[in-house]
Amino acid sequence: MKLDLTRPIFDAHNAVAAENRGLLDKAGVFALNLMSSPGAGKTCLILATVDRLPPSISSGVIEGDPAARIDADIIAARGIPVTQINTGGGCHLHAPMIRAALDHLPLTDIDLLFVENVGNLICTANFVLGTHKQIVLASVPEGHDKPYKYPGMFAAADAVVLAKADVLRSFDFDLAYFRHGLDIVNPNIPLFAVSSRTGEGLDTWMAWLLQHILKPHLVLAAT
Ligand SMILES: Nc1nc2c(ncn2[C@@H]2O[C@H](COP(=O)(O)OP(=O)(O)OP(=O)(O)O)[C@@H](O)[C@H]2O)c(=O)[nH]1
Ligand SMILES: [Mg+2]
């Protein structure tokens, strides 16, 4: 029998991810894991989404970066509860990091928690965190071939956001080719082409978020 030395690590992480989910559910928090390459637009999407949430829905953020707290400071300046994880060079967040971060947030005051993962299109997809939905961002300047080159990432997603749609006309980005690549690895996955800068496409993203993610959670919490 082949010995898989990574197995015990994944098993341990999966157990903590389940613990995270339990804590989130107990506090009535719905959590999104945002994954993308560096600079695709995760922080801008978080801010644009928070701006469009109904006043009854409060948010919080866990920021993941190898170093610095630049994004956490941006989020905090907007009055949003935030805690920063620095991985010290690690290329992804993992469940024990999230477990520790949850202790630094006012969970009972938060309805929607954004976990901004480390910018990386490979290993972030391999580590479950306990979040309810996994969102992968790709941005227009990265090119339309990413689902073909990084299939594992897009296969692990519940929805894909194509960010920086405002610059579509400046790039040779073939949206149909991108969609076809998604359908190969994750057929019919929801795709939202948005611009956090101009606001285009965000209404559709918000409708999906509120109707398909938040509503069941809030209904559940109310029963
Ligand atoms: N044109 C345009 N630029 C954008 C948009 N969203 C983000 N940007 C720009 O892209 C750059 C990176 O945006 P961020 O939101 O910081 O990206 P990120 O994915 O959080 O980056 P990391 O945390 O470093 O991985 C910034 O210069 C943003 O102003 C958009 O919708 N349109
Ligand atoms: Mg960021």
Side-chain angles (χ1 to χ4, degrees):
M1 195 176 82
K2 199 176 160 195
L3 186 63
D4 180 359
L5 294 174
T6 62
R7 187 62 196 265
I9 299 170
F10 278 107
D11 286 349
H13 282 190
N14 289 345
V16 181
E19 188 185 341
N20 291 342
R21 176 67 71 85
L23 285 170
L24 292 166
D25 287 344
K26 192 171 169 208
V29 180
F30 195 96
L32 299 178
N33 177 14
L34 299 183
M35 296 175 282
S36 79
S37 58
K42 299 178 295 297
T43 306
C44 289
L45 181 70
I46 291 170
L47 293 172
T49 302
V50 169
D51 282 347
R52 288 163 177 79
L53 285 173
S56 58
I57 296 173
S58 58
S59 50
V61 179
I62 294 175
E63 280 293 344
D65 291 289
R69 46 171 302 115
I70 296 168
D71 287 350
D73 288 344
I74 292 169
I75 300 284
R78 298 281 287 268
I80 304 164
V82 59
T83 186
Q84 175 80 50
I85 297 170
N86 283 144
T87 61
C91 60
H92 59 87
L93 296 178
H94 57 57
M97 292 174 179
I98 300 300
R99 176 63 194 87
L102 292 178
D103 286 341
H104 296 281
L105 286 170
L107 285 189
T108 50
D109 298 335
I110 293 172
D111 300 308
L112 175 60
L113 177 67
F114 300 89
V115 177
E116 182 178 335
N117 217 312
V118 175
N120 185 307
L121 265 191
I122 301 177
C123 51
T124 48
N126 296 329
F127 290 84
V128 291
L129 304 179
T131 43
H132 296 84
K133 295 287 181 189
Q134 326 315 316
I135 312 296
V136 172
L137 278 78
S139 66
V140 169
E142 293 166 44
H144 51 209
D145 52 11
K146 292 303 159 294
Y148 303 86
K149 292 180 176 174
Y150 299 86
M153 201 70 214
F154 293 91
D158 295 302
V160 171
V161 171
L162 178 63
K164 311 188 187 180
D166 55 293
V167 296
L168 259 172
R169 275 170 291 281
S170 306
F171 287 81
D172 57 347
F173 192 101
D174 183 338
L175 196 48
Y177 181 71
F178 182 76
R179 174 76 252 184
H180 181 64
L182 289 180
D183 281 334
I184 291 172
V185 296
N186 200 334
N188 302 318
I189 186 170
L191 167 63
F192 305 98
V194 311
S195 168
S196 301
R197 182 160 293 176
T198 66
E200 69 187 86
L202 284 173
D203 286 355
T204 320
W205 156 247
M206 292 304 299
W208 182 83
L209 187 64
L210 294 170
Q211 288 169 19
H212 296 280
I213 297 181
L214 280 174
K215 196 172 160 195
H217 153 64
L218 291 178
V219 168
L220 201 67
T223 54

Coordinates of all heavy atoms in Angstrom, one line a residue, residues 164-205:
K164 N -12.6 43.2 -13.0 CA -12.1 44.2 -13.9 C -12.7 44.2 -15.2 O -12.1 44.4 -16.3 CB -10.5 44.1 -14.0 CG -9.9 44.0 -12.6 CD -8.4 44.1 -12.6 CE -7.8 43.9 -11.2 NZ -6.4 43.9 -11.1
A165 N -14.0 43.9 -15.3 CA -14.8 43.8 -16.5 C -14.8 45.2 -17.2 O -15.0 45.2 -18.5 CB -16.2 43.4 -16.3
D166 N -14.4 46.3 -16.5 CA -14.4 47.6 -17.2 C -13.3 47.7 -18.2 O -13.3 48.5 -19.1 CB -14.2 48.7 -16.1 CG -13.1 48.5 -15.2 OD1 -13.1 47.5 -14.4 OD2 -12.1 49.3 -15.3
V167 N -12.3 46.8 -18.1 CA -11.1 46.8 -19.1 C -11.2 45.7 -20.1 O -10.3 45.5 -20.8 CB -9.8 46.8 -18.4 CG1 -9.6 48.1 -17.5 CG2 -9.6 45.5 -17.5
L168 N -12.4 45.1 -20.2 CA -12.5 44.0 -21.2 C -12.2 44.4 -22.6 O -11.5 43.7 -23.3 CB -14.0 43.5 -21.2 CG -14.3 42.2 -20.4 CD1 -15.8 42.0 -20.4 CD2 -13.6 41.0 -21.1
R169 N -12.5 45.6 -23.0 CA -12.3 46.1 -24.4 C -10.8 46.4 -24.6 O -10.4 46.4 -25.8 CB -13.2 47.3 -24.7 CG -14.6 46.8 -25.2 CD -15.6 48.0 -25.3 NE -15.9 48.5 -23.9 CZ -16.8 47.9 -23.1 NH1 -17.4 46.9 -23.5 NH2 -17.1 48.5 -21.9
S170 N -10.1 46.5 -23.6 CA -8.6 46.9 -23.8 C -7.8 45.6 -23.9 O -6.6 45.7 -24.1 CB -8.1 47.7 -22.6 OG -8.9 48.8 -22.4
F171 N -8.4 44.4 -23.6 CA -7.6 43.2 -23.7 C -8.3 42.2 -24.7 O -9.4 42.3 -25.0 CB -7.6 42.5 -22.3 CG -6.7 43.2 -21.3 CD1 -7.2 44.3 -20.6 CD2 -5.5 42.8 -21.1 CE1 -6.4 45.0 -19.7 CE2 -4.6 43.4 -20.1 CZ -5.1 44.6 -19.5
D172 N -7.5 41.3 -25.2 CA -8.0 40.3 -26.1 C -8.7 39.2 -25.4 O -8.3 38.0 -25.6 CB -6.9 39.8 -27.1 CG -5.8 39.2 -26.3 OD1 -5.7 39.4 -25.1 OD2 -4.9 38.5 -26.9
F173 N -9.6 39.5 -24.5 CA -10.2 38.5 -23.6 C -11.4 38.0 -24.2 O -12.4 38.8 -24.5 CB -10.5 39.2 -22.2 CG -10.9 38.2 -21.2 CD1 -9.9 37.8 -20.2 CD2 -12.2 37.6 -21.1 CE1 -10.3 36.9 -19.2 CE2 -12.5 36.7 -20.1 CZ -11.5 36.3 -19.2
D174 N -11.5 36.7 -24.5 CA -12.6 36.0 -25.2 C -13.5 35.4 -24.1 O -13.2 34.4 -23.5 CB -12.1 35.0 -26.1 CG -13.3 34.3 -26.9 OD1 -14.4 34.4 -26.4 OD2 -13.0 33.8 -28.0
L175 N -14.6 36.1 -23.8 CA -15.5 35.6 -22.7 C -16.0 34.3 -22.9 O -16.2 33.4 -22.0 CB -16.6 36.7 -22.4 CG -17.4 36.6 -21.1 CD1 -16.5 36.6 -19.9 CD2 -18.3 37.9 -21.1
A176 N -16.4 34.0 -24.2 CA -16.9 32.6 -24.5 C -15.9 31.5 -24.3 O -16.2 30.4 -23.8 CB -17.4 32.6 -25.9
Y177 N -14.7 31.8 -24.6 CA -13.6 30.8 -24.4 C -13.4 30.6 -22.9 O -13.2 29.5 -22.5 CB -12.3 31.4 -25.1 CG -11.1 30.5 -25.0 CD1 -11.0 29.3 -25.7 CD2 -10.0 30.8 -24.1 CE1 -9.9 28.5 -25.6 CE2 -8.9 30.0 -24.1 CZ -8.9 28.8 -24.8 OH -7.7 28.0 -24.7
F178 N -13.4 31.7 -22.1 CA -13.3 31.6 -20.7 C -14.4 30.7 -20.1 O -14.2 29.8 -19.3 CB -13.3 33.0 -20.1 CG -13.1 33.0 -18.6 CD1 -11.9 32.8 -18.0 CD2 -14.2 33.3 -17.7 CE1 -11.7 32.9 -16.6 CE2 -14.1 33.3 -16.3 CZ -12.8 33.1 -15.8
R179 N -15.6 31.0 -20.5 CA -16.8 30.3 -20.1 C -16.7 28.8 -20.5 O -17.0 27.9 -19.6 CB -18.1 30.9 -20.7 CG -19.4 30.2 -20.5 CD -20.0 30.4 -19.1 NE -19.9 29.2 -18.3 CZ -20.4 29.1 -17.0 NH1 -21.0 30.1 -16.5 NH2 -20.3 28.0 -16.3
H180 N -16.2 28.5 -21.7 CA -16.1 27.1 -22.1 C -15.1 26.4 -21.2 O -15.3 25.3 -20.8 CB -15.6 27.1 -23.6 CG -15.4 25.7 -24.1 ND1 -16.5 24.8 -24.3 CD2 -14.3 25.0 -24.5 CE1 -16.0 23.7 -24.7 NE2 -14.7 23.8 -24.9
G181 N -14.0 27.1 -20.8 CA -13.0 26.5 -19.9 C -13.6 26.2 -18.6 O -13.3 25.1 -18.0
L182 N -14.4 27.0 -18.1 CA -15.1 26.8 -16.8 C -16.0 25.6 -16.9 O -16.0 24.7 -16.0 CB -15.9 28.0 -16.4 CG -15.2 29.2 -15.9 CD1 -16.3 30.3 -15.6 CD2 -14.3 29.0 -14.7
D183 N -16.7 25.5 -18.0 CA -17.7 24.4 -18.2 C -17.0 23.0 -18.3 O -17.6 22.0 -17.9 CB -18.6 24.6 -19.4 CG -19.7 25.6 -19.1 OD1 -20.1 25.8 -17.9 OD2 -20.1 26.3 -20.1
I184 N -15.7 23.0 -18.8 CA -15.0 21.8 -18.8 C -14.7 21.3 -17.4 O -14.9 20.1 -17.1 CB -13.7 21.9 -19.6 CG1 -14.0 22.2 -21.1 CG2 -12.8 20.7 -19.4 CD1 -12.8 22.6 -21.9
V185 N -14.3 22.2 -16.5 CA -13.9 21.7 -15.2 C -15.0 21.8 -14.1 O -15.0 21.1 -13.1 CB -12.7 22.5 -14.6 CG1 -11.4 22.3 -15.5 CG2 -12.9 24.0 -14.5
N186 N -16.0 22.6 -14.4 CA -17.1 22.9 -13.4 C -18.3 23.3 -14.2 O -18.7 24.5 -14.1 CB -16.6 23.9 -12.4 CG -17.4 23.9 -11.1 OD1 -18.5 23.5 -11.1 ND2 -16.7 24.4 -10.1
P187 N -19.0 22.4 -14.8 CA -20.1 22.7 -15.7 C -21.2 23.6 -15.0 O -21.6 23.3 -13.9 CB -20.7 21.3 -16.1 CG -19.6 20.4 -15.9 CD -18.8 20.9 -14.7
N188 N -21.6 24.6 -15.7 CA -22.7 25.5 -15.3 C -22.4 26.3 -14.0 O -23.3 26.8 -13.4 CB -24.0 24.7 -15.1 CG -24.4 24.0 -16.4 OD1 -24.3 24.5 -17.4 ND2 -24.8 22.7 -16.2
I189 N -21.2 26.4 -13.6 CA -20.9 27.2 -12.4 C -21.3 28.6 -12.7 O -21.0 29.1 -13.8 CB -19.4 27.1 -12.1 CG1 -19.1 27.8 -10.7 CG2 -18.5 27.6 -13.2 CD1 -17.7 27.5 -10.2
P190 N -21.9 29.3 -11.7 CA -22.3 30.7 -11.9 C -21.0 31.5 -12.2 O -20.0 31.4 -11.5 CB -22.9 31.1 -10.6 CG -23.3 29.8 -10.0 CD -22.4 28.8 -10.4
L191 N -21.1 32.5 -13.1 CA -20.0 33.4 -13.5 C -20.6 34.8 -13.5 O -21.6 35.1 -14.1 CB -19.5 33.0 -14.9 CG -18.6 34.0 -15.6 CD1 -17.3 34.2 -14.8 CD2 -18.3 33.6 -17.0
F192 N -19.9 35.7 -12.8 CA -20.3 37.1 -12.7 C -19.1 37.9 -13.2 O -18.0 37.9 -12.6 CB -20.6 37.4 -11.3 CG -21.7 36.6 -10.7 CD1 -21.3 35.5 -9.8 CD2 -23.0 36.7 -11.0 CE1 -22.3 34.6 -9.3 CE2 -24.0 35.9 -10.5 CZ -23.6 34.8 -9.6
A193 N -19.3 38.6 -14.3 CA -18.3 39.6 -14.8 C -18.7 40.9 -14.2 O -19.7 41.5 -14.4 CB -18.4 39.6 -16.4
V194 N -17.7 41.4 -13.4 CA -18.0 42.6 -12.6 C -16.9 43.6 -12.7 O -15.7 43.2 -13.0 CB -18.3 42.3 -11.1 CG1 -19.3 41.1 -10.9 CG2 -17.0 41.9 -10.4
S195 N -17.2 44.8 -12.4 CA -16.1 45.8 -12.1 C -16.4 46.5 -10.8 O -17.5 47.1 -10.6 CB -16.2 46.9 -13.2 OG -15.3 48.0 -12.8
S196 N -15.5 46.3 -9.9 CA -15.6 47.0 -8.6 C -15.4 48.5 -8.8 O -15.8 49.3 -7.9 CB -14.6 46.5 -7.6 OG -14.8 45.1 -7.4
R197 N -14.8 48.9 -9.9 CA -14.5 50.3 -10.2 C -15.7 51.0 -10.7 O -16.1 52.1 -10.2 CB -13.3 50.4 -11.2 CG -12.9 51.9 -11.5 CD -11.5 51.9 -12.0 NE -10.5 51.6 -11.1 CZ -9.2 51.5 -11.3 NH1 -8.8 51.7 -12.5 NH2 -8.4 51.1 -10.4
T198 N -16.4 50.5 -11.7 CA -17.5 51.1 -12.3 C -18.8 50.6 -11.7 O -19.9 51.3 -11.9 CB -17.6 50.9 -13.8 OG1 -17.8 49.5 -14.1 CG2 -16.3 51.4 -14.5
G199 N -18.8 49.5 -11.1 CA -20.1 48.9 -10.5 C -20.8 48.0 -11.5 O -21.7 47.3 -11.1
E200 N -20.3 47.9 -12.8 CA -21.0 47.0 -13.7 C -21.0 45.6 -13.3 O -20.0 45.1 -12.7 CB -20.5 47.2 -15.1 CG -19.1 46.7 -15.4 CD -18.6 47.0 -16.8 OE1 -18.0 48.1 -16.9 OE2 -18.7 46.2 -17.7
G201 N -22.1 44.9 -13.4 CA -22.2 43.5 -13.1 C -22.4 43.2 -11.6 O -22.7 42.1 -11.2
L202 N -22.3 44.2 -10.8 CA -22.3 43.9 -9.3 C -23.8 43.6 -8.9 O -24.0 42.9 -7.9 CB -21.7 45.1 -8.5 CG -20.2 45.1 -8.5 CD1 -19.7 46.4 -7.9 CD2 -19.6 43.9 -7.8
D203 N -24.7 44.2 -9.6 CA -26.1 43.9 -9.2 C -26.4 42.4 -9.3 O -27.1 41.8 -8.4 CB -27.1 44.6 -10.1 CG -27.2 46.1 -9.8 OD1 -26.5 46.5 -8.8 OD2 -27.8 46.9 -10.5
T204 N -25.9 41.8 -10.3 CA -26.2 40.3 -10.5 C -25.4 39.5 -9.5 O -26.0 38.5 -8.9 CB -25.7 39.9 -11.9 OG1 -26.0 40.9 -12.9 CG2 -26.3 38.6 -12.3
W205 N -24.2 39.9 -9.2 CA -23.4 39.3 -8.1 C -24.1 39.4 -6.8 O -24.3 38.4 -6.0 CB -22.0 39.9 -8.1 CG -21.3 39.8 -6.8 CD1 -20.9 40.8 -6.0 CD2 -20.7 38.6 -6.2 NE1 -20.2 40.4 -4.9 CE2 -20.1 39.0 -5.0 CE3 -20.7 37.2 -6.5 CZ2 -19.5 38.1 -4.1 CZ3 -20.1 36.3 -5.6 CH2 -19.5 36.8 -4.5

